[in-house]
Amino acid sequence: MRKITYRDALREALLEEMQRDKTVFLLGEDIGRYWQGAFKVTKGLAEKFGEERVLDTPISESAIIGTAVGAAITGMRPVAEIMFGDLVTLAMDQIANQAAKIHYMFGGQSRVPLVIRTPFGGGVNIAAHHSQSLEAWFMHVPGLLVAVPSMPSDAKGLLKAAIRNDNPVVFCEHKLLYPIEGLVPEGEYTLPFGAAEVKREGKDVTIVATMFMVHEALKAAEALEKDGLSVEVVDPRTLVPLDKKVIIDSVRKTGRLVVVSEDCKTAGVTAEIAALVAEEAIDYLDAPIKRLATPDAPIPFSPPLEKHLIPDEKSIIQIVKKIV
Amino acid sequence: MRKITYRDALREALLEEMQRDKTVFLLGEDIGRYWQGAFKVTKGLAEKFGEERVLDTPISESAIIGTAVGAAITGMRPVAEIMFGDLVTLAMDQIANQAAKIHYMFGGQSRVPLVIRTPFGGGVNIAAHHSQSLEAWFMHVPGLLVAVPSMPSDAKGLLKAAIRNDNPVVFCEHKLLYPIEGLVPEGEYTLPFGAAEVKREGKDVTIVATMFMVHEALKAAEALEKDGLSVEVVDPRTLVPLDKKVIIDSVRKTGRLVVVSEDCKTAGVTAEIAALVAEEAIDYLDAPIKRLATPDAPIPFSPPLEKHLIPDEKSIIQIVKKIV
Amino acid sequence: MDSDTLVLMYRKMLEIRLFEDKVFELYGQNLVPGTIHLYTGEEAIAVGVCANLRKEDYIVSTHRGHGHCIAKGARLDRIMAEILGRKTGYCKGKGGSMHIADFSVGVLGATAVVGAGIPIATGAGLSIKLRGTDQVAACFFGDGASNQGTFHEAINMAAIWNLPVLFVCENNLYAMGTHQARVMLIDDIAERAAAYGIPGVLTDGNDAIAVYKAAEKAVERARGGRGPTLLECKTYRQKGHSRFDPATYRPKEEVEEWLSKDPVRRLRKQLREAGTISDDKLAQMERDVAEAVEAAVTFAVDGPHPAPREALEDIYA
Amino acid sequence: MDSDTLVLMYRKMLEIRLFEDKVFELYGQNLVPGTIHLYTGEEAIAVGVCANLRKEDYIVSTHRGHGHCIAKGARLDRIMAEILGRKTGYCKGKGGSMHIADFSVGVLGATAVVGAGIPIATGAGLSIKLRGTDQVAACFFGDGASNQGTFHEAINMAAIWNLPVLFVCENNLYAMGTHQARVMLIDDIAERAAAYGIPGVLTDGNDAIAVYKAAEKAVERARGGRGPTLLECKTYRQKGHSRFDPATYRPKEEVEEWLSKDPVRRLRKQLREAGTISDDKLAQMERDVAEAVEAAVTFAVDGPHPAPREALEDIYA
Ligand SMILES: Cc1ncc(C[n+]2csc(CCOP(=O)(O)OP(=O)(O)O)c2C)c(N)n1
Ligand SMILES: Cc1ncc(C[n+]2csc(CCOP(=O)(O)OP(=O)(O)O)c2C)c(N)n1
Ligand SMILES: [Mg+2]
Ligand SMILES: [Mg+2]
């Protein structure tokens, strides 16, 4: 295995799937030969597969998804890119009312094999309209699958699986993850949806974290080890379906749970995971569940402000210490 | 006090506020003299205040909210109606990125006194595109307030308060509540945001419920009383801000919590309330927290299917019995 | 036009008419849950367009969709069963009146979100182009829908990619209680085509032959790889918008004028005057259609309701 | 046109030009967090439009907004401080380059969601109408933004309610790397006005006087209660789209041709040729502007960063 970036792992997944299956195609704003994608994930693909399979679109988010839905129900497997996660707001009807519901509403007549890739997250000082994490909205919409890869290998394995899945998948990426490197299997490599991974084993406390927060949690775990604390880090990898078993098994082992996510706290990812454990595993808990998320505020522009809000190694360490 | 319907209570609030403040105006699809609102809430108001203050709009949800935002930041207090809650999907950018963030993003320069009224909920057999409850999405967006009145008096008091509030308010109504009657104070009557109400006192178990589910919970409580169980029913009345104190005080008293909401279970209203209690009041609990929500499915058309999904008195009784 | 097509069109229009009359009757008897939006008075549009389509071509439908589905070849009985919420309906009772689909005849389904079907049709067109078939996709939507952002975005997209799509605006003058003149300054929605650099064609939506001919050209263009057309058909709904709407916001004279332009009677008259079909055959057809509709009702009413637990099936593929 | 206006316009254009040059320089020095979108080359539009506006009139701005704000009378120093993320900036450091607002001079703020400002401008227009003042609202947006659904919905709404709004399309031929011709079939976005029954006016966006005159008519119309106008100004951005964009997707000849049409040099030449301003005064003004920009930098750089905990202020009013 070679080390490649998360960005390259995504591109490799796209490339391999496009080679494998002629019905796979990409559409989105500036993903083609002129710009190569805002985060360069699609670099080189238009040159390789032609502009018909790597379609630059007008700035029309709602029609990007709607068009992908129409293609998906008539034999194609579109992978649509929304340039920034904040802009899914413009396509929520097509995502939540059309893509998510068509299979059900029409009694199973049609499948909607559609992947919506979009980068969430802050950390690059581009303020309130380009920094949100909105994956919880999609968890709340039955019919959608939600992937949240944190590592380059997960990115590749889950994206290939997403493209082959017959359901609409909201595939959440993170701006700060694109340059991160990791070992990634070459060629055929897929990961099942609904399989969490213990990214680090531990026995005193469980941290469930997703996406960029997995990396911060791993750093925190390392630092806490020096204080004699053994921290387990669980990465759900997909939020829908959510691997309850791995999460609950870990809580059963450690008796303590901290849930960390970059999205806003109220009614977010941490709420669902905390509620799940409160419902199904409360008896294993030796301390209150702790949630660490971005406080309920828009993401501000100025670096000290933004840094203050988004969870990181330091704030994870602090919160873990509160319950041990 | 007279008994009037929830619908009439809402209309009275609109009417009184329009009389009190010339900057208050209404806009939405078919709210004017020709149709009088899909649920007749605005009946008679166009005749009374003229078509300039009760504006029928084109079918353009995104522009309805965007226009309201523009009016709100330039001295008006718009009350926008989205005809069905499912259609907020078309206006999410204007709601979540513009209305919610303008005050913050511009450093407090501007206020956004905007009310968005919309009916959520199922029960009338109009299927997946007209039956959702999406209030949890708005809880997840900082900058928005979220009202969820269950009773005619709450409807009036909260709507008047919402109109006077300088923040954008998503004002959630429910199709099945419109015809429900209750005592409503005449004239000036406002309710504070963030004040839950104990709708029924009890000591064995707490049910936190919202909107139409309050009524089902009250029926369940009555039935359970015959079995010798004393059930407390707490209605948050607003989800943002959420009255943690009343909820936690109730849980401290009863030691048992069931959260009931009509929205889909995952990452919904019940998740946030359950997580809150798991974080801040776990030591008071004598049993696992239970969440009762609509299972994660689109709302189906056929009556037996729809009835099967949405929580009601019967399913509330069942779930309460699991933890007592 | 050849007479077989004309006769077939008349039959389809009659099917729609009698079907909708029956739905109206059934909901008077409280057999129809929820709400419904009848296509009565607009039959010439769906039929005139679909008479130009092949089985493998696609249509995208709306809340006012029964007529579209019948015109494209979906079965009366399974539509009726769906409207009545039965397991034997096209969507196993999950969709209802506003969400009929029959993928086996190219009905990609109806959306109840006004305007939401327009980009889906563009996507069907894109799919056709990428797969390299000579199918076409037709999308029905109302005058009200043409004010949605999706109209703008999706037609523009179909235009730049030169997709084989017919955007069929059924301009019945009203969106619920809102007259067209109160929500746009232009008279003809077809004019909007110019904003996207594609042809905009105006036609009498109550004249089945006129619709047929206009659609024929547009379909020919689309199949020939010459791109999309916006086709506006002026029409009128003879009933209220939905279940409980008395439609008192419409002037009586206006309603009467349009009732006098009834598209079903009009085509019938044309067929008789041109001698395309004998009176006997016509009478026979009319009996046949009435029977078919009755049979559909029987099929629907006899169908079981879905079992409650089926509500949790079909969420994921 | 009177010479005071012309001289003032030149000064504003120069302010924008030197301001943007300085921002470019500062981010080379790593003083500017995040990304930025320079208005260089498009100065004639904001200035030509805003020269027709009063202080109490409104504008709605975009991600490429520095020029709009300067033209409407916002202060260089507080804009610069905001761009540098300082507490002394217009938004206390919360907004940054893409979100400048100055409500005290009618700048209702910039949105970084392409097209999202268009309905907000319609709303400002509605507010003016309801309050019965004679203000107007001007909304800037790009060629790319004109493909958003908001463009369609919001202009139509302004049209039917006859609102005092100028929809100003800054057509710089590209949306990021996407040439206009790849995302619409029409040449002139002004043509889209016909879809809403309002005037669509095309003008040379690199000619300040032409923009001024076109905007003058539109503002007159709006103030006179005769409704909105869509004004398309053809222009070009002289720099890349944003911070790191080398803009290699643009042919060299195209770039050179447009550089030769520089709007600032052009107005300068016109003023000198017409003798509107003496060379001495011009030189003085140019020194003044350069100093003002330097002063803005000093103000900005000297300003403190916001305290971290301020991130939790201003969430609710
Ligand atoms: C996006 C959206 N907004 C509002 C509604 C409520 N609604 C249902 S039908 C309708 C009118 C549609 O008018 P038009 O497009 O002209 O179609 P028609 O009913 O006349 O056939 C409205 C407003 C909806 N279903 N979807
Ligand atoms: C709705 C939306 N889609 C995409 C983006 C990313 N984006 C930022 S600027 C831009 C191009 C805008 O082009 P145009 O409207 O022509 O304005 P210009 O940058 O040329 O001034 C894009 C695609 C965005 N910010 N908002
Ligand atoms: Mg209509
Ligand atoms: Mg541009």
Side-chain angles (χ1 to χ4, degrees):
Chain A
M1 271 195 282
R2 63 271 117 92
K3 265 199 167 174
I4 58 173
T5 62
Y6 186 95
R7 172 187 290 117
D8 290 344
L10 291 167
R11 185 184 312 116
E12 191 166 281
L14 294 173
L15 187 141
E16 290 177 13
E17 293 305 299
M18 290 180 80
Q19 270 169 339
R20 191 187 55 79
D21 182 348
K22 269 195 340 215
T23 67
V24 177
F25 73 100
L26 318 183
L27 75 169
E29 293 160 17
D30 275 305
I31 63 169
R33 65 174 75 239
Y34 299 96
W35 196 281
Q36 313 267 358
F39 294 93
K40 311 298 173 203
V41 172
T42 52
K43 190 169 174 181
L45 298 179
E47 289 85 338
K48 187 162 183 74
F49 295 103
E51 299 198 357
E52 287 223 334
R53 285 183 72 194
V54 183
L55 285 151
D56 275 335
T57 67
I59 307 178
S60 308
E61 280 76 8
S62 176
I64 290 171
I65 304 301
T67 296
V69 169
I73 61 176
T74 54
M76 302 298 291
R77 304 187 88 84
V79 181
E81 177 177 304
I82 298 291
M83 194 187 283
F84 287 91
D86 313 70
L87 310 173
V88 296
T89 49
L90 292 158
M92 287 308 288
D93 174 65
Q94 290 296 332
I95 300 172
N97 284 335
Q98 315 307 327
K101 294 183 172 56
I102 278 178
H103 181 67
Y104 186 87
M105 230 165 40
F106 301 148
Q109 282 185 66
S110 172
R111 305 180 158 209
V112 189
L114 158 63
V115 179
I116 301 169
R117 290 182 41 245
T118 197
F120 284 122
V124 296
N125 313 128
I126 46 176
H129 284 166
H130 285 83
S131 305
Q132 288 163 93
S133 295
L134 295 169
E135 57 273 25
W137 280 1
F138 302 108
M139 292 174 74
H140 194 49
V141 179
L144 300 178
L145 300 178
V146 181
V148 285
S150 67
M151 299 292 166
S153 56
D154 297 337
K156 176 169 177 180
L158 288 172
L159 184 50
K160 283 172 73 88
I163 293 171
R164 297 180 196 185
N165 197 296
D166 279 337
N167 297 288
V169 178
V170 178
F171 194 89
C172 308
E173 304 172 3
H174 191 292
K175 298 173 195 83
L176 294 181
L177 289 174
Y178 289 125
I180 282 184
E181 291 198 331
L183 292 171
V184 178
E186 273 167 90
E188 183 64 5
Y189 176 67
T190 63
L191 284 172
F193 272 57
E197 187 177 54
V198 176
K199 291 283 198 238
R200 178 193 169 104
E201 297 209 13
K203 56 189 183 12
D204 298 330
V205 56
T206 298
I207 301 179
V208 175
T210 61
M211 303 188 75
F212 189 65
M213 289 301 125
V214 173
H215 298 266
E216 296 295 308
L218 288 170
K219 284 195 271 169
E222 199 134 318
L224 286 163
E225 184 157 32
K226 294 182 190 127
D227 295 351
L229 259 185
S230 166
V231 178
E232 178 142 309
V233 178
V234 177
D235 176 359
R237 300 203 289 197
T238 62
L239 292 171
V240 180
L242 183 66
D243 189 340
K244 295 183 187 189
K245 189 173 173 322
V246 168
I247 294 172
I248 290 175
D249 284 352
S250 178
V251 171
R252 183 200 297 239
K253 181 167 72 169
T254 64
R256 290 180 156 77
L257 174 64
V258 174
V259 192
V260 186
S261 173
E262 191 176 323
D263 67 331
C264 284
K265 185 170 180 181
T266 298
V269 172
T270 61
E272 177 56 30
I273 295 174
L276 167 73
V277 172
E279 263 195 322
E280 301 192 14
I282 205 165
D283 293 339
Y284 306 138
L285 287 172
D286 300 321
I289 297 171
K290 285 288 168 195
R291 296 193 274 163
L292 181 61
T294 296
D296 293 324
I299 302 297
F301 163 66
S302 190
L305 298 177
E306 181 173 27
K307 208 175 144 20
H308 183 64
L309 289 187
I310 300 178
D312 58 11
E313 177 188 348
K314 224 177 89 191
S315 55
I316 295 173
I317 292 173
Q318 278 169 0
I319 203 157
V320 168
K321 286 190 169 167
K322 280 192 188 155
I323 56 160
V324 291
Chain B
M1 269 197 282
R2 62 272 115 90
K3 265 200 166 174
I4 58 174
T5 61
Y6 186 94
R7 172 188 289 117
D8 290 343
L10 290 168
R11 185 185 311 116
E12 193 167 280
L14 293 173
L15 186 141
E16 289 178 13
E17 293 305 298
M18 289 180 79
Q19 270 168 339
R20 191 188 54 79
D21 182 347
K22 269 194 341 215
T23 67
V24 177
F25 74 100
L26 318 183
L27 74 170
E29 293 159 17
D30 274 304
I31 64 169
R33 67 174 75 239
Y34 300 96
W35 197 282
Q36 313 267 358
F39 294 93
K40 310 297 173 204
V41 173
T42 52
K43 190 168 175 181
L45 297 179
E47 289 84 341
K48 186 163 182 75
F49 296 103
E51 299 199 357
E52 287 224 334
R53 286 183 73 193
V54 183
L55 285 151
D56 275 335
T57 66
I59 306 178
S60 308
E61 280 75 8
S62 176
I64 290 171
I65 303 302
T67 295
V69 170
I73 61 176
T74 55
M76 301 299 290
R77 304 187 86 86
V79 181
E81 177 175 304
I82 297 292
M83 194 185 284
F84 287 91
D86 313 72
L87 310 173
V88 297
T89 49
L90 292 158
M92 287 307 287
D93 174 65
Q94 290 296 332
I95 300 173
N97 284 334
Q98 316 305 328
K101 294 182 172 56
I102 278 179
H103 181 66
Y104 186 86
M105 230 164 40
F106 301 149
Q109 283 184 65
S110 172
R111 305 179 161 213
V112 188
L114 158 64
V115 178
I116 300 168
R117 291 181 42 245
T118 198
F120 284 123
V124 296
N125 312 127
I126 46 177
H129 284 167
H130 285 84
S131 305
Q132 290 164 92
S133 297
L134 295 170
E135 57 272 27
W137 281 1
F138 302 107
M139 295 175 73
H140 193 48
V141 179
L144 300 177
L145 300 178
V146 182
V148 284
S150 68
M151 299 291 165
S153 56
D154 297 337
K156 176 170 177 181
L158 288 172
L159 184 51
K160 284 173 72 87
I163 292 171
R164 297 180 197 187
N165 196 296
D166 279 338
N167 297 289
V169 178
V170 178
F171 195 91
C172 308
E173 303 172 3
H174 191 292
K175 299 172 194 81
L176 294 182
L177 288 175
Y178 289 125
I180 283 186
E181 291 198 334
L183 293 170
V184 178
E186 272 167 90
E188 183 63 5
Y189 176 67
T190 63
L191 284 173
F193 272 58
E197 187 177 56
V198 176
K199 293 284 198 233
R200 178 194 170 103
E201 297 209 13
K203 53 186 187 10
D204 297 330
V205 57
T206 298
I207 300 181
V208 176
T210 61
M211 304 188 74
F212 189 66
M213 289 301 125
V214 173
H215 298 265
E216 296 295 309
L218 288 170
K219 282 194 271 171
E222 200 134 319
L224 287 163
E225 184 158 30
K226 294 184 190 123
D227 295 351
L229 258 184
S230 165
V231 178
E232 178 142 311
V233 178
V234 177
D235 176 358
R237 300 202 289 196
T238 62
L239 292 171
V240 180
L242 183 65
D243 189 341
K244 294 183 186 189
K245 189 174 173 323
V246 168
I247 294 171
I248 291 176
D249 284 352
S250 177
V251 171
R252 184 199 296 238
K253 182 168 73 172
T254 64
R256 291 183 155 76
L257 174 64
V258 173
V259 192
V260 186
S261 173
E262 189 176 324
D263 66 331
C264 284
K265 184 170 182 182
T266 298
V269 172
T270 61
E272 177 56 30
I273 295 173
L276 167 73
V277 172
E279 264 197 320
E280 301 191 14
I282 204 165
D283 293 338
Y284 307 138
L285 287 171
D286 299 322
I289 297 171
K290 284 288 166 195
R291 298 193 272 164
L292 181 62
T294 296
D296 294 323
I299 302 296
F301 163 67
S302 190
L305 298 177
E306 182 174 26
K307 207 174 145 22
H308 182 64
L309 289 186
I310 300 178
D312 58 11
E313 178 189 347
K314 222 176 91 191
S315 53
I316 295 174
I317 291 173
Q318 278 170 358
I319 202 157
V320 168
K321 287 192 169 165
K322 280 193 188 155
I323 56 159
V324 290
Chain C
M1 281 189 62
D2 77 290
S3 28
D4 283 1
T5 305
L6 282 171
V7 171
L8 198 77
M9 279 170 59
Y10 178 68
R11 184 180 164 117
K12 282 283 168 205
M13 285 173 65
L14 196 66
E15 283 179 12
I16 297 172
R17 174 63 54 93
L18 298 189
F19 185 91
E20 294 294 60
D21 285 350
K22 188 55 77 173
V23 172
F24 189 81
E25 194 185 310
L26 292 179
Y27 81 58
Q29 299 166 25
N30 251 327
L31 270 165
V32 183
T35 189
I36 56 164
H37 306 82
L38 299 175
Y39 200 64
T40 314
E42 311 189 15
E43 297 87 349
I45 302 171
V47 169
V49 169
C50 292
N52 286 284
L53 301 181
R54 306 174 184 157
K55 186 174 170 195
E56 64 273 21
D57 292 330
Y58 301 122
I59 67 163
V60 175
S61 173
T62 68
H63 60 285
R64 198 176 301 289
H66 310 164
H68 309 143
C69 300
I70 295 172
K72 188 63 174 58
R75 291 171 50 160
L76 301 184
D77 53 0
R78 296 198 59 202
I79 300 175
M80 190 64 91
E82 187 59 37
I83 293 170
L84 266 52
R86 307 304 165 109
K87 190 179 162 60
T88 45
Y90 269 116
C91 310
K92 307 178 189 165
K94 290 196 162 102
S97 165
M98 290 194 281
H99 301 289
I100 313 242
D102 179 359
F103 279 71
S104 74
V105 296
V107 178
L108 300 181
T111 169
V113 178
V114 170
I118 312 179
I120 295 176
T122 294
L126 176 60
S127 168
I128 292 167
K129 185 176 172 187
L130 291 172
R131 288 184 284 104
T133 67
D134 70 346
Q135 294 162 281
V136 305
C139 181
F140 298 98
F141 56 87
D143 46 298
S146 83
N147 292 324
Q148 276 285 14
T150 47
F151 169 95
H152 181 69
E153 295 185 2
I155 299 185
N156 185 57
M157 228 178 243
I160 59 170
W161 293 334
N162 205 35
L163 303 180
V165 187
L166 259 70
F167 296 102
V168 183
C169 181
E170 307 181 310
N171 185 351
N172 59 13
L173 217 53
Y174 288 85
M176 294 183 52
T178 301
H179 191 282
Q180 176 193 348
R182 299 178 56 239
V183 287
M184 61 181 80
L185 295 184
I186 57 174
D187 292 322
D188 300 326
I189 294 166
E191 281 185 51
R192 292 190 166 166
Y196 316 109
I198 63 164
V201 178
L202 189 65
T203 190
D204 179 347
N206 281 26
D207 179 349
I209 297 176
V211 174
Y212 180 89
K213 288 187 173 158
E216 184 177 37
K217 266 205 195 145
V219 167
E220 218 176 85
R221 235 183 102 79
R223 266 198 235 290
R226 278 170 295 126
T229 300
L230 173 59
L231 176 60
E232 178 184 4
C233 308
K234 305 274 198 195
T235 186
Y236 203 73
R237 56 172 153 75
Q238 294 186 355
K239 298 280 161 63
H241 166 73
S242 58
R243 187 154 190 159
F244 296 115
D245 173 26
T248 49
Y249 44 81
R250 303 194 304 191
K252 220 171 148 180
E253 312 74 55
E254 183 185 283
V255 178
E256 272 162 16
E257 193 199 319
W258 278 98
L259 286 178
S260 77
K261 300 193 219 164
D262 183 87
V264 180
R265 275 206 316 277
R266 178 154 168 189
L267 184 58
R268 188 177 198 277
K269 190 155 168 256
Q270 286 167 319
L271 296 188
R272 289 186 69 213
E273 280 174 6
T276 317
I277 184 170
S278 70
D279 279 7
D280 277 3
K281 282 204 172 141
L282 207 52
Q284 181 60 43
M285 179 200 291
E286 286 163 356
R287 277 193 304 274
D288 289 352
V289 171
E291 266 172 40
V293 170
E294 279 309 329
V297 174
T298 307
F299 175 87
V301 171
D302 287 352
H305 279 95
R309 65 167 188 291
E310 289 174 35
L312 293 166
E313 295 171 2
D314 295 322
I315 304 169
Y316 290 95
Chain D
M1 278 189 63
D2 76 292
S3 26
D4 284 1
T5 305
L6 283 171
V7 170
L8 198 78
M9 281 171 59
Y10 178 67
R11 186 181 161 115
K12 282 286 169 203
M13 285 173 67
L14 196 65
E15 282 180 12
I16 297 172
R17 175 63 54 93
L18 298 189
F19 185 92
E20 295 292 60
D21 285 351
K22 187 57 77 173
V23 172
F24 190 80
E25 196 186 310
L26 293 179
Y27 81 58
Q29 298 164 27
N30 251 325
L31 271 163
V32 184
T35 189
I36 57 167
H37 307 82
L38 299 175
Y39 200 62
T40 313
E42 310 189 16
E43 297 87 348
I45 302 170
V47 169
V49 169
C50 290
N52 286 286
L53 300 183
R54 306 173 185 159
K55 187 175 170 195
E56 64 271 21
D57 291 332
Y58 301 121
I59 67 163
V60 175
S61 173
T62 68
H63 60 286
R64 198 176 301 290
H66 310 162
H68 308 142
C69 300
I70 294 171
K72 188 63 176 53
R75 292 171 50 160
L76 301 185
D77 53 1
R78 296 196 62 202
I79 301 175
M80 190 65 91
E82 188 60 36
I83 293 171
L84 266 52
R86 307 305 164 108
K87 189 178 163 62
T88 45
Y90 269 117
C91 310
K92 306 180 191 165
K94 290 195 162 104
S97 166
M98 290 193 283
H99 301 289
I100 314 244
D102 179 0
F103 280 70
S104 74
V105 297
V107 178
L108 300 181
T111 168
V113 177
V114 170
I118 312 178
I120 294 176
T122 294
L126 175 61
S127 167
I128 292 167
K129 184 174 173 190
L130 291 173
R131 286 183 287 106
T133 67
D134 69 345
Q135 294 162 279
V136 306
C139 180
F140 299 97
F141 56 87
D143 45 296
S146 82
N147 291 325
Q148 276 285 13
T150 49
F151 169 97
H152 180 70
E153 296 184 3
I155 299 185
N156 185 55
M157 228 179 243
I160 59 169
W161 293 335
N162 206 35
L163 303 180
V165 187
L166 260 70
F167 296 101
V168 183
C169 182
E170 308 181 310
N171 184 351
N172 60 12
L173 217 55
Y174 288 85
M176 292 183 57
T178 302
H179 191 284
Q180 176 193 347
R182 299 177 56 240
V183 286
M184 60 182 80
L185 295 184
I186 57 174
D187 292 322
D188 301 325
I189 294 165
E191 282 185 50
R192 290 189 169 169
Y196 315 109
I198 64 165
V201 178
L202 189 65
T203 190
D204 179 348
N206 280 26
D207 179 349
I209 298 176
V211 174
Y212 180 90
K213 289 187 172 158
E216 186 177 34
K217 266 203 196 149
V219 168
E220 220 174 84
R221 235 182 101 80
R223 266 199 235 290
R226 278 170 293 127
T229 300
L230 173 59
L231 177 59
E232 177 184 6
C233 308
K234 304 274 198 194
T235 187
Y236 203 73
R237 58 172 150 75
Q238 294 187 355
K239 298 281 161 60
H241 166 73
S242 58
R243 186 154 193 159
F244 297 114
D245 173 25
T248 47
Y249 44 81
R250 303 193 302 190
K252 220 169 149 184
E253 313 73 57
E254 184 186 281
V255 177
E256 271 161 18
E257 192 199 318
W258 278 97
L259 286 177
S260 78
K261 298 194 219 161
D262 184 85
V264 181
R265 274 206 317 278
R266 177 153 167 190
L267 183 57
R268 188 177 196 276
K269 190 156 167 252
Q270 285 167 319
L271 294 188
R272 289 187 68 211
E273 280 174 5
T276 316
I277 185 169
S278 71
D279 279 7
D280 277 2
K281 282 201 172 143
L282 206 53
Q284 183 59 44
M285 179 200 289
E286 286 165 355
R287 278 192 304 273
D288 290 351
V289 171
E291 266 171 40
V293 169
E294 279 308 328
V297 174
T298 307
F299 174 88
V301 170
D302 286 352
H305 279 94
R309 66 166 187 289
E310 289 174 35
L312 293 166
E313 295 171 3
D314 296 324
I315 303 168
Y316 290 95

